[in-house]
Amino acid sequence: MTGPADIHAYLAELEDIPGTRVFTAVRARQGYHLNQFAMSLMDGANRERWKADEKAYLAEWPLSDAQRQAVINRDYNRMLELGGNIYFLSKIFSTDGISFAEAVSTMTDMSFPEYRDMMMQGGRPAKGNRSIKGGY
């Protein structure tokens, strides 16, 4: 990056990291209500209301249809694409009684035991995981 005029090119590069969604200001604005909904689950009364009727509870939040469907589907990759922040979204899977590692494993093409074993062996190798468009 050579200067402020290149900010759009720089931000575009962040979209080229395989399997990674960098939480940029654009995503923060896009996911504001999604993240606020998730944070609302820190309150026990809200968790009970959510568990009793997810769709009714979600209807109280000004989410996009795509965000709403991603939450119902527990599609965490899609929620991240739509502005979700993993630390806020953790309130959803915690409410579901799922560990952080197990929830993150759903964002891969691996089972939880496979994901856990891969992480215990040092994680995903950098080779082949550095660029979508460059193929490396």
Side-chain angles (χ1 to χ4, degrees):
M1 191 162 110
T2 60
D6 298 319
I7 188 68
H8 297 293
Y10 172 74
L11 291 173
E13 288 178 24
L14 298 178
E15 298 299 318
D16 189 42
I17 306 168
T20 301
R21 287 146 195 96
V22 178
F23 192 68
T24 61
V26 170
R27 281 208 170 95
R29 285 188 298 275
Q30 179 187 22
Y32 178 79
H33 294 291
L34 172 60
N35 292 317
Q36 291 299 303
F37 148 72
M39 289 302 290
S40 77
L41 298 176
M42 289 182 65
D43 180 275
N46 290 341
R47 285 192 301 275
E48 292 307 315
R49 290 177 51 228
W50 165 249
K51 289 177 186 179
D53 189 342
E54 291 183 7
K55 289 183 180 179
Y57 189 74
L58 278 178
E60 298 175 21
W61 296 89
L63 305 179
S64 70
D65 291 340
Q67 288 171 328
R68 195 175 317 281
Q69 193 59 53
V71 171
I72 293 296
N73 294 347
R74 301 304 196 274
D75 185 343
Y76 295 106
N77 282 326
R78 184 72 174 132
M79 285 185 244
L80 292 174
E81 289 170 12
L82 297 169
N85 179 296
I86 192 63
Y87 298 106
F88 296 145
L89 299 180
S90 69
K91 307 314 181 238
I92 300 170
F93 50 78
S94 293
T95 299
D96 287 342
I98 299 171
S99 72
F100 202 100
E102 189 171 354
V104 171
S105 76
T106 70
M107 301 162 73
T108 70
D109 57 355
M110 295 178 245
S111 68
F112 176 54
E114 291 169 328
Y115 175 80
R116 183 190 59 228
D117 292 345
M118 183 260 308
M119 293 304 287
M120 294 295 290
Q121 295 170 20
R124 206 175 292 242
K127 185 174 181 172
N129 288 306
R130 293 183 180 228
S131 172
I132 296 168
K133 66 182 174 209
Y136 59 89

